[in-house]
Amino acid sequence: MPSAGRAGRGRLYVNRPDGQAVAWYDRQANRISVLADDHREAILAALRPYLSGTVSIGPPPVPTAADLRRLALPPDADLAPNRPGEALLGELEHGPAGTRARHRLRQDLVAQQRMGDVLDALEPDGWRILHCVPLPGLGRIDHLLIGPAGIFCVRTAPGRRQRAAVGDLLLTVGRAEPRPDPRWLRRAAARASRALEAEVIPALALVDASRVDVAPTVRDIRILQPLTALPSLTTAPTTLKPGDVEALFALARDTRTYFSPTDGPFGPSGV
């Protein structure tokens, strides 16, 4: 008998005992796509505890241009499976042995994971989220959000239960050495904007800061915090239609989008 199990964000898959998928339930579209019609009754029985409202059922819809692009992606070029803080997990395993350096890495990892979980919760509202997006010569975007309110390039910083001061060029948390996060964010957003050929808004996520002070001259960077990120993004004015969101997500999830023909293994020259 088929059984239901989580195998991808936003979808619940129904598999036969041998692991072969026979259907999936798209929570956002409230639709069941059936691959094996002779199992329809068993599929409905497996999914019934998860269904709500009026659910449509039928064969999978005809693939859109975004679907076709996704299906053509080599697995190692697809950024969608990346978890929040994915790159930091590898750095912790193979990186510096110094206690202080590893402590900082763990703080950054916890902050990215917590903020990533918060942002992933936007998916039912029509958002698509990517984590650890590589930018040649600039490192990685912690989180890239694409949704009705636009595209956001998010840098996450741990607040460590201290005051965070956001200036035009630097971020200062407590008495720690100032970090150039605002300056980096503008460069990263500009690079992502060129790659996606769309406006990308820089956003700074501060996790567990006791207080956040933003200089009045900082008008171009969106400030996010775990408790207020969802309501501030879901109530923002709509600038992208659902079709635009899916098309941009299909482009953004391909790691090759961010590399130009002149990029070498260490990014473009002059960066």
Side-chain angles (χ1 to χ4, degrees):
M1 177 177 292
S3 61
R6 188 78 172 176
R9 295 184 306 199
R11 285 184 177 181
L12 194 67
Y13 285 81
V14 181
N15 302 321
R16 294 194 316 197
D18 62 4
Q20 181 179 350
V22 293
W24 70 81
Y25 171 44
D26 187 322
R27 295 173 182 269
Q28 185 178 355
N30 214 16
R31 173 185 171 83
I32 300 172
S33 295
V34 178
L35 300 173
D37 201 59
D38 53 329
H39 289 292
R40 179 178 289 232
E41 292 304 318
I43 290 167
L44 288 173
L47 286 173
R48 192 164 286 119
Y50 308 98
L51 305 179
S52 62
T54 303
V55 180
S56 60
I57 182 170
V62 176
T64 63
D67 292 329
L68 293 174
R69 184 183 178 94
R70 172 180 56 82
L71 292 169
L73 263 184
D76 60 351
D78 191 0
L79 298 171
N82 284 2
R83 298 165 295 173
E86 183 97 30
L88 296 182
L89 288 169
E91 288 186 39
L92 274 171
E93 184 175 352
H94 306 291
T99 304
R100 182 175 296 180
R102 292 184 68 82
H103 180 65
R104 284 198 299 266
L105 280 175
R106 287 196 187 95
Q107 286 185 326
D108 287 342
L109 174 60
V110 170
Q112 287 190 33
Q113 289 176 330
R114 182 176 173 196
M115 199 67 208
D117 289 343
V118 169
L119 298 175
D120 282 344
L122 287 165
E123 287 210 344
D125 294 304
W127 289 78
R128 296 292 177 262
I129 299 90
L130 294 168
H131 306 287
C132 296
V133 176
L135 286 181
L138 283 178
R140 291 177 176 84
I141 298 172
D142 294 339
H143 319 283
L144 187 70
L145 315 183
I146 305 173
I151 308 173
F152 295 83
C153 164
V154 183
R155 177 84 152 187
T156 302
R160 300 194 294 273
R161 303 185 186 281
Q162 299 181 62
R163 172 182 174 270
V166 183
D168 282 313
L169 301 178
L170 299 173
L171 163 69
T172 305
V173 176
R175 297 184 178 181
E177 190 75 18
R179 302 165 35 144
D181 295 76
R183 182 171 53 192
W184 182 93
L185 260 172
R186 293 186 181 96
R187 294 175 62 198
R191 178 75 64 78
S193 180
R194 290 196 298 271
L196 299 174
E197 298 183 351
E199 181 185 11
V200 176
I201 302 165
L204 180 61
L206 293 161
V207 178
D208 286 336
S210 62
R211 172 180 164 186
V212 177
D213 294 332
V214 183
T217 51
V218 179
R219 301 186 182 94
D220 58 333
I221 296 177
R222 186 75 168 263
I223 305 300
L224 301 175
Q225 293 180 270
L227 294 179
T228 57
L230 264 64
S232 69
L233 291 169
T234 54
T235 59
T238 298
T239 61
L240 294 176
K241 298 177 181 178
D244 298 328
V245 171
E246 295 301 332
L248 284 164
F249 179 64
L251 182 64
R253 69 187 297 173
D254 187 343
T255 187
R256 298 167 299 183
T257 296
Y258 308 95
F259 290 80
S260 72
T262 58
D263 288 348
F266 302 102
S269 60
V271 176

